[in-house]
Amino acid sequence: MIKFFRRIRQNLLSENKTGKYLKYAIGEIFLVVIGILIALQINNWNEQRKARIQEHAVLRNFIQDLKADSLSFSRNFKTLTDINYLHKELYEIGVKDKNDLNIENPSFIRRLLYYNPIAKENDPFIANKISSNAIRQEIQSYLRYLKDMDDTYREFEDVIQDRIRVFLAKKDVHDLSGWFENQTIDMNEVSYQDIIKQEDLILLSKMPEFQQLLLEASIKSNETFFTLKMVIDQNEHLKNTIVRELKK
């Protein structure tokens, strides 16, 4: 092809056709420019394709972390539901003097959650790696909800760990033999079922000092419950947004 164009130029020069040569030279320059632009466009397309493949890989990893978080949040949601129910039972027994209630999980009065979301920890700057504005906005919303959950849960943890547990120890209601003789450990969690006896907790529920702690614990537990609900909803919404993007 290069020899072909060179031969044309030589023929035009040898025949002294300067005007036609200039037109031909301009045309050849134009073709070269067009070729360069096409090559650049192809290169840009390839780079964009590679970037999109890499971004989809990041999103697939992220959605797996979101699914793992979702399972953990669901377990925590169930635990908080049980804790809130226990608080309500203790109010009915201690304040309204109902004696026909049976407390199934008395040890839940000192229960905390295993709250450790991994999606944020594994890639805290993932929003900067995503080109889709819709996904970036959903990620940022999700991270804000997680921040709210962090703050809310920390307050709930402080009440249970620094006040409820201290009060229980002060009143000597922890059942030492119940813990050591009935302790069961499986691959998922340690069972705390027998660390506090039902009758001891019922007696505590009638004490004004404990009732004030119960109120504080119930407030923080409910705040954590509703904040976690928003986190779960946003987690689901974010997963659906990513799935739609991956299908494009």
Side-chain angles (χ1 to χ4, degrees):
M1 184 64 70
I2 296 176
K3 291 182 178 179
F4 174 75
F5 287 126
R6 184 184 297 122
R7 191 177 301 114
I8 292 176
R9 290 196 301 272
Q10 289 174 348
N11 289 337
L12 290 174
L13 288 172
S14 63
E15 294 174 5
N16 201 24
K17 297 178 179 180
T18 306
K20 289 184 177 182
Y21 176 80
L22 290 175
K23 291 179 181 180
Y24 168 78
I26 293 172
E28 187 174 323
I29 292 171
F30 178 75
L31 288 175
V32 171
V33 171
I34 293 297
I36 292 173
L37 292 176
I38 291 174
L40 288 174
Q41 185 63 32
I42 292 174
N43 182 66
N44 288 337
W45 180 83
N46 281 330
E47 292 300 320
Q48 291 173 0
R49 183 179 63 84
K50 291 177 183 178
R52 188 168 183 80
I53 291 173
Q54 183 177 4
E55 182 177 322
H56 277 201
V58 170
L59 287 174
R60 281 191 290 270
N61 289 333
F62 185 59
I63 203 170
Q64 292 305 313
D65 289 342
L66 290 174
K67 289 178 179 178
D69 280 347
S70 180
L71 292 174
S72 176
F73 295 154
S74 295
R75 289 192 294 269
N76 286 332
F77 194 78
K78 172 63 169 59
T79 299
L80 281 169
T81 301
D82 292 339
I83 290 173
N84 287 333
Y85 183 73
L86 172 62
H87 291 164
K88 180 65 174 178
E89 283 185 318
L90 292 174
Y91 168 77
E92 296 288 339
I93 294 170
V95 178
K96 302 183 74 174
D97 203 27
K98 289 189 176 181
N99 299 314
D100 58 342
L101 299 179
N102 180 47
I103 299 177
E104 294 184 2
N105 299 305
S107 297
F108 270 36
I109 191 62
R110 66 187 308 282
R111 180 72 181 267
L112 289 173
L113 308 178
Y114 180 72
Y115 175 69
N116 185 33
I118 63 174
K120 179 180 68 173
E121 299 301 324
N122 285 348
D123 199 344
F125 304 107
I126 188 171
N128 299 331
K129 303 176 183 179
I130 307 303
S131 61
S132 168
N133 186 55
I135 294 180
R136 283 202 309 273
Q137 289 180 348
E138 295 298 338
I139 290 175
Q140 289 165 355
S141 295
Y142 182 62
L143 295 179
R144 283 195 296 271
Y145 281 125
L146 285 180
K147 176 64 169 58
D148 291 341
M149 180 63 191
D150 290 342
D151 296 339
T152 304
Y153 179 65
R154 191 177 301 112
E155 293 179 359
F156 171 67
E157 184 179 45
D158 289 344
V159 171
I160 300 301
Q161 190 163 278
D162 298 337
R163 301 183 66 185
I164 293 289
R165 289 184 178 181
V166 171
F167 183 84
L168 294 173
K170 180 181 176 181
K171 297 300 180 180
D172 296 323
V173 298
H174 288 135
D175 186 0
L176 190 67
S177 61
W179 166 251
F180 283 102
E181 294 179 15
N182 301 305
Q183 185 182 126
T184 58
I185 302 176
D186 59 27
M187 294 301 293
N188 297 315
E189 63 176 342
V190 180
S191 175
Y192 295 93
Q193 287 296 104
D194 300 300
I195 197 170
I196 294 178
K197 293 179 180 179
Q198 174 180 271
E199 55 268 27
D200 291 337
L201 190 57
I202 288 175
L203 290 175
L204 287 182
S205 72
K206 301 179 184 298
M207 299 174 57
E209 186 179 359
F210 179 81
Q211 291 169 3
Q212 291 299 308
L213 288 177
L214 180 65
L215 172 62
E216 189 67 23
S218 180
I219 291 172
K220 297 307 178 183
S221 177
N222 275 278
E223 288 177 353
T224 305
F225 178 87
F226 288 112
T227 305
L228 181 59
K229 178 64 167 59
M230 291 189 292
V231 170
I232 291 173
D233 290 343
Q234 182 60 24
N235 178 287
E236 189 66 26
H237 190 58
L238 176 55
K239 285 187 296 186
N240 292 336
T241 303
I242 293 175
V243 168
R244 287 194 297 270
E245 177 67 20
L246 292 174
K247 287 181 178 179
K248 290 181 180 179

